[in-house]
Amino acid sequence: TVRTNSAILRYTPGTGSGTSDQPGGSQNITIIEPVITTTKTVVPTSGVAAGDVVTYTVEFENTGSSTAYEVSALDALAQGVTFTSLTSCLLDAPATDLTPATTVDTGTPGQVTFSGATWDIPATSTVTCIYTATAQNSLYMDGSHINTIDADWTSLNGVQPNERNYDDSVSRTGVDETPGLDDDDATFTSDAPTFVKDDSGVTQVVIGDTITFHLTVGGEAGTYRDVLITDVLPAGLIYNVGSSQVTLNGSTAVRAPDSVSAPNDGSAAVTL
């Protein structure tokens, strides 16, 4: 925005009557400001399971016209992952390694804040940070996991009474808003479970025989929520109550009692 400032000298002339004005001219001042544009990516983007390490790359580019001071970034971690380590934070121009001076705050669960006393980004320059997170056993499987980061900064160096704070407290279209240029997200997905049923290869039985079925739920490490297995036996089969065994990774797992529909006498289908 251009602001024009002008001045006029007004005085009483030597005649002693009336007033006289003498324009002093005007000056134009262009108001500039820093604008951080954030871009985020993640690798890998699919097939993530517990124990896997995902790598995030975030670029904070100052697309404005003045230096962005005291830049910081708040990262809302995806469900089921924890921050592992900061690999690097580099300023491209002037070329500076900000990694040693970068503060990583993980004090709030599910969040990471990156900041530093030297996190000042000149106009047209970019800070690129690379860091890793590790998927935990609590990672929900068969889903998308979004990780969002948001940048904050100020218009002047240090604490100044009239500086502008770009911290989303005031929405400024195209500069600092939610969502805006200063935040971005990256998404990875986790796989669905596998499900296989077999009867040990039995193809013929006589009345009175016992058939053993195996239902196997597999998949990558993680958490499958609210798992429910429903098996409908056709008419002519009777479920042997209490015969089922549930194991998790080869060990007997705690489970609820059998849920068996009636009548379980072979005259109709039975739902387990």
Side-chain angles (χ1 to χ4, degrees):
T1 300
V2 176
R3 288 285 183 257
T4 302
N5 178 277
S6 58
I8 297 176
L9 172 65
R10 176 169 293 172
Y11 62 96
T12 301
T15 58
S17 62
T19 58
S20 180
D21 291 343
Q22 181 177 341
S26 61
Q27 299 294 326
N28 291 332
I29 296 177
T30 301
I31 301 173
I32 59 178
E33 64 180 332
V35 179
I36 297 297
T37 300
T38 304
T39 305
K40 184 173 191 177
T41 59
V42 63
V43 176
T45 58
S46 61
V48 176
D52 290 344
V53 175
V54 293
T55 300
Y56 291 102
T57 300
V58 186
E59 293 183 351
F60 305 101
E61 180 184 4
N62 186 352
T63 56
S65 305
S66 63
T67 299
Y69 292 98
E70 292 112 27
V71 179
S72 64
L74 175 62
D75 194 351
L77 296 173
Q79 184 279 329
V81 302
T82 58
F83 176 80
T84 305
S85 64
L86 175 67
T87 303
S88 62
C89 274
L90 305 176
L91 174 64
D92 63 355
T96 306
D97 184 0
L98 301 179
T99 311
T102 298
T103 299
V104 180
D105 183 2
T106 58
T108 301
Q111 294 183 355
V112 181
T113 299
F114 302 94
S115 61
T118 57
W119 268 50
D120 300 332
I121 306 178
T124 73
S125 295
T126 301
V127 167
T128 301
C129 291
I130 300 174
Y131 57 97
T132 58
T134 303
Q136 305 298 305
N137 287 329
S138 59
L139 181 73
Y140 294 153
M141 302 303 290
D142 190 18
S144 295
H145 299 271
I146 301 176
N147 174 284
T148 302
I149 196 165
D150 176 79
D152 293 329
W153 65 100
T154 64
S155 62
L156 295 175
N157 192 24
V159 179
Q160 304 290 340
N162 294 314
E163 68 180 350
R164 172 168 281 186
N165 290 296
Y166 301 87
D167 57 5
D168 296 307
S169 59
V170 176
S171 181
R172 301 180 177 96
T173 303
V175 180
D176 188 36
E177 56 187 324
T178 304
L181 297 175
D182 60 321
D183 59 71
D184 196 24
D185 55 52
T187 302
F188 66 82
T189 60
S190 53
D191 292 340
T194 59
F195 189 43
V196 178
K197 180 175 184 176
D198 72 73
D199 61 1
S200 302
V202 174
T203 58
Q204 293 181 332
V205 294
V206 297
I207 295 173
D209 276 350
T210 296
I211 309 166
T212 300
F213 294 102
H214 301 94
L215 305 177
T216 305
V217 179
E220 299 296 331
T223 297
Y224 294 101
R225 296 182 290 172
D226 302 321
V227 176
L228 175 66
I229 299 174
T230 301
D231 191 353
V232 180
L233 301 178
L237 295 183
I238 299 173
Y239 172 64
N240 295 328
V241 176
S243 65
S244 66
Q245 294 181 346
V246 180
T247 60
L248 178 63
N249 295 334
S251 300
T252 300
V254 176
R255 62 183 180 86
D258 294 330
S259 174
V260 185
S261 66
N264 181 29
D265 59 6
S267 64
V270 178
T271 301
L272 310 178

